Amino acid sequence: MGTGQRFAEHTTAAGAGYTAPRSRLPREPAAGQATLDDGRGATAGAPSSSPPKTAGEFRRGALTMLPLLPGYAPLACLIGVTVAASHAPAAAWSGVWLIFAGTAHLAVVQQVDAGAGVLVAAASALLINLRLALFSATLAQHWRGTGLLSRLVAAATVVDPTWMLASRRFAEPGGPAAGRRFYFGVSTVLWFGFAGMVTIGMVAGRLVPPQAGLTLLAPLCLVAMVVPAVRSASAAGGVAAAAAAAVAAAALPAGTALLVAMPAGVAGALIGRRLAGKDRTR
Amino acid sequence: MNMLAAIALVGIGSYLLRAVPLLLVDRIRLSPRAEELLGDAVLAAMTALLVATITHLAQSPPVPGVPPAAVWAGLAVGTIAAALRQSMGRVLLAGMAAYGATLLLTTVW
């Protein structure tokens, strides 16, 4: 998806003026470099030209995430219902905390319940979560020079909404420290809020009649992610090839379609990109 | 036991996927080409999941009292909303509203 690439370019530009924390790397900013303070060096006697604004960033992040939580309620409810119907509900529920990625969690629970092998189910879910490595890679530059604990804690909650909100915040003025605090505020609300909603879905989901159409929620969520991403010839080629491969592999064991569709999608995107390039050169 | 093992494997793997870039940020940087390919693979994975869920919807036995037309109407309207670049919440809302409206209409008639 082009989003990650664009974001990477964006944050690379935004982070160009980043100054490493003074307490760890005591070097002066280069001449002409913007002195974006990371907040650690905030002192009362510092020049007041651009005071660091890290205070309240955690709260701001939490308050930004809070109204978005209901948007994830349908997915959480669907996971809750699936977990409750699973043959091992307690183990399936633990995925809320251990995986903390709705689609992959749903996929692994559904596949194990459908009789797929542990390795096949896990591999499929991990393939879905490959995007998290990209998200993490694009956020990582803002954790340069920070302590190990901060990185380890941040890594636990890198997922679509935290990445999206944090990326916007990192692009704003204020420095990496403010962005990190904002990120942790977003993460905390999502972490506990999503787990709470899944648990409510487990308990109350059974009360929802089948006519309520909960089975529609998963495809609709995926439609909302896939369709807007088709904005270029490469994306269209990738989606078309992946869809064709997934249909062709539908009869194969659970999870296989994903393994087949990913390289097919990459190949389709490459072809689309090449064709678009030829069109431009004509 | 299988469920717990699968959840634990995915949990550990997912954490590593998230942690490695953060831990190695000072040493490794993905090339734009690698990011592009990874982005293509992510979109392909989501597409495959979408196809799988739609195939599952088409093959599963109909819910009593729910005509298949309601499900397809919901999906169609959701897709149109997504094509119009609406947010996920609005796509869900539009799809579910179409599903409910079709259900109501078929029940009345």
Side-chain angles (χ1 to χ4, degrees):
Chain A
M1 203 162 22
T3 315
Q5 189 192 352
R6 279 194 306 281
F7 170 66
E9 290 164 359
H10 177 67
T11 50
T12 303
Y18 168 61
T19 309
R22 290 173 201 150
S23 58
R24 292 176 185 276
L25 296 170
R27 63 184 177 212
E28 293 296 321
Q33 186 181 18
T35 53
L36 292 178
D37 200 310
D38 78 336
R40 292 184 182 199
T43 59
S48 59
S49 57
S50 179
K53 292 178 180 175
T54 58
E57 284 294 334
F58 181 93
R59 186 167 172 270
R60 190 184 155 206
L63 291 176
T64 305
M65 186 64 230
L66 209 53
L68 299 180
L69 260 186
Y72 294 91
L75 179 62
C77 189
L78 178 68
I79 294 171
V81 170
T82 309
V83 163
S86 165
H87 67 264
W93 180 80
S94 68
V96 176
W97 306 100
L98 295 175
I99 300 174
F100 193 57
T103 316
H105 185 193
L106 191 63
V108 72
V109 172
Q110 283 178 336
Q111 288 186 47
V112 172
D113 275 336
V118 170
L119 289 179
V120 170
S124 304
L126 283 173
L127 282 172
I128 296 168
N129 274 355
L130 262 181
R131 74 190 189 286
L132 302 180
L134 178 63
F135 294 169
S136 183
T138 54
L139 289 177
Q141 63 181 304
H142 304 290
W143 263 265
R144 276 203 181 106
T146 59
L148 182 64
L149 185 64
S150 173
R151 298 182 193 210
L152 292 177
V153 173
T157 56
V158 175
V159 71
D160 307 59
T162 55
W163 173 73
M164 283 188 290
L165 293 178
S167 66
R168 284 184 200 166
R169 177 63 191 90
F170 279 122
E172 293 172 8
R180 289 195 295 269
R181 287 188 185 208
F182 180 90
Y183 171 86
F184 284 123
V186 169
S187 301
T188 304
V189 169
L190 185 64
W191 179 268
F192 290 106
F194 194 74
M197 289 192 297
V198 170
T199 309
I200 290 169
M202 276 182 76
V203 178
R206 291 175 184 179
L207 304 176
V208 180
Q211 288 86 353
L214 280 183
T215 49
L216 251 184
L217 294 177
L220 281 175
C221 282
L222 288 164
V223 159
M225 288 191 274
V226 171
V227 173
V230 184
R231 279 182 268 186
S232 61
S234 64
V239 165
V247 169
L252 297 175
T256 314
L258 204 64
L259 299 174
V260 175
M262 286 182 77
V266 170
L270 285 173
I271 292 168
R273 203 167 284 128
R274 188 159 294 178
L275 290 176
K278 278 183 183 172
D279 282 348
R280 274 198 295 271
T281 54
R282 276 176 194 168
Chain B
M1 194 60 196
N2 275 1
M3 182 67 78
L4 191 59
I7 293 280
L9 269 177
V10 178
I12 293 167
S14 300
Y15 185 74
L16 288 176
L17 285 173
R18 291 159 161 147
V20 166
L22 279 164
L23 295 175
L24 300 182
V25 63
D26 297 322
R27 300 179 190 177
I28 295 175
R29 188 167 182 169
L30 280 177
S31 67
R33 175 80 167 161
E35 284 188 2
E36 202 172 66
L37 291 179
L38 199 51
D40 293 338
V42 169
L43 186 57
M46 287 180 178
T47 306
L49 279 173
L50 176 60
V51 169
T53 54
I54 291 174
T55 308
H56 178 74
L57 270 182
Q59 291 174 347
S60 54
V63 178
V66 179
V71 174
W72 299 121
L75 263 182
V77 171
T79 306
I80 292 168
L84 294 172
R85 310 262 188 268
Q86 297 299 307
S87 65
M88 183 181 283
R90 286 181 180 178
V91 169
L92 291 176
L93 208 63
M96 294 308 286
Y99 169 81
T102 314
L103 197 61
L104 194 68
L105 283 174
T106 50
T107 307
V108 170
W109 281 313

